[in-house]
Every structure is written in structure tokens, then in C-alpha cells.
Amino acid sequence: MYGSKLDWLAQHVSLADYFRQTKQLLPDSFENLQGQTNAFSFSYYGLLRPDVLVSYLFPSIPIHFFIIGYATFLWASTGGLCYCWLRNKGYKDSICFFQAYVAYAPIASFSPTNKSCL
């Protein structure tokens, strides 16, 4: 459940930070997680996500900046890409803007803003 002490963001930030601390891109296993289980079992938590991979290049920057920044980038680009795509299809500006807003509004409206792992 979102908002608990270990919500989605906290899980993904802490595990991605642990992945970076190993200093290996694809380790065979993680010694301190789930009894030294196979590393692939953590693929759900984003072992090879683009934001995590880029964060390996900048170990001095905290991981939560990469995860939140990447999510914000994807969130912001949703409306813009929808607008550009519809504009290239030949729709009027008002239709493009409205549909881009319809694509963007649910993300902005239903994103939890009062919970943070920072």
C-alpha cells in the first residue's frame, strides 16, 4: 500500500542504491538480500532500468534524484509527445492541446504528493 513505511518509491530507491553499492552491473547474487539469492530475482525492482544504469556513472549523486528525475521527465513528456504526435497527424491545435491534457491530467491528478522518501 502506498504511504506505508516501505512504499514503492522507498523500495525502489533503497534497492537501486544497494545495486549501486555493489559496483557490479550484473552480479551473480546479492549477499545481503534474501539469503544470497540470484540477482535476476530483483529485476522487478529495476536492476537494469535506464535511470539506475545512468546512476552508476555518477556514484556521488544520491539515487533518489535519478529515480524522481526520470519519473518527472517521463511524466512531463507524456503531454508533449501526445501533442506533437497529434499535430503531425494534422489535427487542429485546440484538439491536440485538449487530447494532450487528457493524456497528462490523470498522471498529474492521481500522483501522490504528500508521501516522500526524502
Side-chain angles (χ1 to χ4, degrees), residues 30-47:
F30 294 113
E31 295 177 8
N32 299 325
L33 296 177
Q34 290 184 352
Q36 197 171 359
T37 188
N38 186 342
F40 185 72
S41 65
F42 291 99
S43 61
Y44 168 78
Y45 294 103
L47 181 60

Side-chain angles (χ1 to χ4, degrees), residues 43-107:
S43 61
Y44 168 78
Y45 294 103
L47 181 60
L48 296 174
R49 277 193 340 247
D51 52 345
V52 175
L53 291 176
V54 170
S55 73
Y56 278 88
L57 300 173
F58 305 99
S60 61
I61 300 174
I63 188 71
H64 62 268
F65 287 123
F66 288 101
I67 292 176
I68 293 172
Y70 187 68
T72 303
F73 169 74
L74 292 177
W75 174 57
S77 65
T78 299
L81 289 174
C82 180
Y83 177 84
C84 291
W85 180 68
L86 290 172
R87 181 88 174 136
N88 287 337
K89 292 286 188 182
Y91 291 99
K92 292 191 280 184
D93 282 339
S94 59
I95 298 290
C96 296
F97 180 76
F98 177 73
Q99 288 299 329
Y101 178 76
V102 167
Y104 172 78
I107 299 169

